[in-house]
Amino acid sequence: MDMYIPTRMIIGSGCVREHYTSFASFGKKALIVTGKQSAVKSGALQDVKDALFACGISWIVFNEVENNPTIETCYRGGALAKESGADFIVAIGGGSPMDAAKAIAAYATNDIEPMDIYKPLDNPPLKFCSVPLTAGTGSEVTPYSVLTVHEIENKLTFTHPNNFSQIAFLDPDYLKTMSRETLLDTVADALSHAVESLLSRRSTMASAVYAKAALEHLSACIPDVISGTPNYEQLLFASALAGMAISHTGTIVVHSMGYMLTYHKGVPHGRANALLLPGYIALCEKQVPERLKTVLDAFGAENAEKFRDTIKQLTAENCILTAEEAKDFAAKAILAKNVVQNPWPLTEAEEKSVFDGLVQ
Ligand code: NAP
Ligand code: FE
């Protein structure tokens, strides 16, 4: 068994301002990696700039990260890091900017072609800190950087032992500007991480501690998320716990199937998981009822049907597939590497049955 979460997490309202001196040890020039608007709207960008200024650190902003970032965008960010002489990175955003920052950190220190990021790297990536603006991906505590690769019409994860944030600043106030749709999508993502981690064949006593705690906190938070009065601090904590769980196990097939809906149908990442989880849980009920019970018990769900009903309430919008799409997506998703970590030998027909649940 191997337990490794090297990220310091500072949690609470005003934590960037309060702990501004913690930036001082990272370097002399920061590259701030963000999306278009969220870092400004949430107030996080201003807080980070103030903290850097107070430490005598200069900065440059790369705010071109799109949802589901492409390797091309990250490569451009890496070139900017090199040109500007940035010696560390601050990621501010949802999973997209946080994941992009990890790839940018690798391109910044290695003279490689874009796809070479998936080969062993000569030099360690730049160090980075993260300021999450959503409570879903857990990217602030995972070693994963999920990137869109048009060449393969899919997403591909870049993993490196140095992909862990040095510090994650979890300030619940920054989440208040999220739309309701993004809130629901990202909570569903965290829930899917915890469920998939606990069901994975790679689950251990260690990873299960994080996954079960995440399920317990999510169960406590979800009613208020649905009623529109979310406890953002507890959600951030739950999402980070789920992130720590997948740091040990990875995700399994809900995620690899979800990438089909995101790449081909433009469905936001967390929503793709929310749409597929009920069908997947129905399979688990049939194939691995005892394992599923550990998930239901940790969440405090009476039975699988009640759990599915809760997940459906997190689905902000439906996605309709044609029968042809369901067949194609299953054929492609079954090739994903993580299929072998499913708790039973999953077949293409079973994956198709999950996609068929979205056919009308
Ligand atoms: P996201 O793609 O980072 O953001 C979605 C949208 O929400 C963007 O338009 C963003 O605006 C906006 N937004 C985010 N936070 C906001 C805030 N506080 N206020 C206002 N607007 C806000 O969403 P995400 O679900 O967090 O990340 C999804 C990505 O993470 C996917 O690429 C997925 O594959 C990846 N992921 C990674 C891991 C991992 O372990 N690394 C795990 C699961 C998923 P801006 O464009 O202005 O930022
Ligand atoms: Fe995810």
Side-chain angles (χ1 to χ4, degrees), residues 67-296:
N67 295 356
N68 308 301
T70 59
I71 51 169
E72 289 79 12
T73 299
C74 299
Y75 200 66
R76 277 205 317 280
L80 179 64
K82 277 182 187 150
E83 262 166 53
S84 64
D87 50 11
F88 74 105
I89 292 180
V90 184
I92 309 177
S96 296
M98 289 193 285
D99 282 4
K102 297 174 191 178
I104 290 171
Y107 289 130
T109 55
N110 290 280
D111 289 321
I112 51 174
E113 293 301 312
M115 286 303 281
D116 292 341
I117 199 170
Y118 296 106
K119 297 178 187 160
L121 299 173
D122 286 338
N123 306 310
L126 290 180
K127 291 190 171 161
F128 66 97
C129 308
S130 299
V131 184
L133 302 184
T134 61
T137 70
S139 180
E140 69 279 8
V141 290
T142 74
Y144 310 126
S145 162
V146 186
L147 306 173
T148 298
V149 180
H150 290 305
E151 219 172 290
I152 57 158
E153 297 191 340
N154 206 341
K155 292 178 127 188
L156 200 55
T157 302
F158 155 57
T159 308
H160 190 279
N162 293 35
N163 274 0
F164 284 103
S165 312
Q166 298 291 309
I167 305 183
F169 296 92
L170 275 57
D171 185 332
D173 293 341
Y174 299 149
L175 275 64
K176 292 178 182 163
T177 49
M178 244 194 301
S179 68
R180 179 167 173 78
E181 287 75 18
T182 302
L183 171 67
L184 294 177
D185 295 344
T186 50
V187 171
D189 191 22
L191 183 61
S192 200
H193 294 163
V195 170
E196 289 177 71
S197 179
L198 201 49
L199 290 171
S200 169
R201 287 164 59 95
R202 291 176 66 197
S203 175
T204 63
M205 275 194 286
S207 69
V209 167
Y210 296 116
K212 286 180 182 173
L215 286 168
E216 197 181 304
H217 283 285
L218 286 167
S219 173
C221 287
I222 284 174
D224 291 339
V225 166
I226 290 164
S227 71
T229 53
N231 178 338
Y232 290 112
E233 185 161 329
Q234 194 176 9
L235 277 175
L236 271 172
F237 186 56
S239 159
L241 286 168
M244 291 189 250
I246 59 167
S247 288
H248 292 90
T249 58
T251 50
I252 46 173
V253 293
V254 179
H255 266 63
S256 45
M257 286 194 279
Y259 294 158
M260 296 294 114
L261 300 186
T262 299
Y263 190 86
H264 295 284
K265 305 291 284 182
V267 177
H269 171 72
R271 196 175 310 169
N273 298 327
L275 285 161
L276 298 168
L277 258 179
Y280 178 69
I281 286 164
L283 290 178
C284 294
E285 212 180 347
K286 207 169 115 204
Q287 297 280 13
V288 282
E290 284 309 311
R291 278 194 90 128
L292 180 64
K293 193 167 176 310
T294 60
V295 172
L296 301 179

